[in-house]
Amino acid sequence: MGLFGKNQMKIIEDLHKKSNDHCKEISKEIDELLDDLRTEYDENREVVREFSSFVDELKTKLSPEDANKLVDFSSRLSKIKRCAKKGVEAMRELARD
């Protein structure tokens, strides 16, 4: 004699199947989101470097105050790039786990 009756086993098996289906669906969605995020990141990862080069060119043509504002803006963009990179890495870990 089992711990569960036929009705309970059927309910447990049904829940198990639904849980597996949901897990597969969520994993597929995470993988798709990771691919999208990675693609977007790869397409835009050179923007900060290009902008920094542009800032270096402009610094000599601007007043010191405006040049400092531009350099500050450039450093904030670099922080955004680091956040984006961490986001891609976190999504990769989520997909892996």
Side-chain angles (χ1 to χ4, degrees), residues 41-55:
Y41 178 77
D42 288 343
E43 287 175 1
N44 295 300
R45 67 196 263 177
E46 297 299 318
V47 170
V48 172
R49 187 174 305 145
E50 292 172 11
F51 186 74
S52 294
S53 297
F54 183 63
V55 166

Side-chain angles (χ1 to χ4, degrees), residues 21-33 94-95 97:
D21 290 344
H22 287 301
C23 180
K24 289 176 185 175
E25 189 176 313
I26 290 169
S27 293
K28 181 181 174 185
E29 191 171 330
I30 288 172
D31 288 339
E32 289 172 358
L33 289 171
L94 181 63
D97 293 341

Side-chain angles (χ1 to χ4, degrees), residues 6-7 18 23 27 32 34 42 46 49 51-52 59 61-62 70 72-73 76 81 87:
K6 287 186 179 186
N7 285 342
K18 286 181 182 179
C23 180
S27 293
E32 289 172 358
L34 175 61
D42 288 343
E46 297 299 318
R49 187 174 305 145
F51 186 74
S52 294
K59 277 195 296 189
K61 299 174 184 176
L62 297 173
L70 196 57
D72 181 56
F73 183 72
R76 288 187 285 158
K81 180 185 176 187

Side-chain angles (χ1 to χ4, degrees), residues 76-92:
R76 288 187 285 158
L77 267 178
S78 295
K79 289 178 185 177
I80 291 171
K81 180 185 176 187
R82 283 192 296 274
C83 289
K85 186 175 182 178
K86 287 179 183 179
V88 171
E89 291 170 359
M91 237 359 219
R92 186 180 309 129

Side-chain angles (χ1 to χ4, degrees), residues 60-71:
T60 58
K61 299 174 184 176
L62 297 173
S63 68
E65 182 180 299
D66 288 340
N68 288 336
K69 286 180 185 178
L70 196 57
V71 168

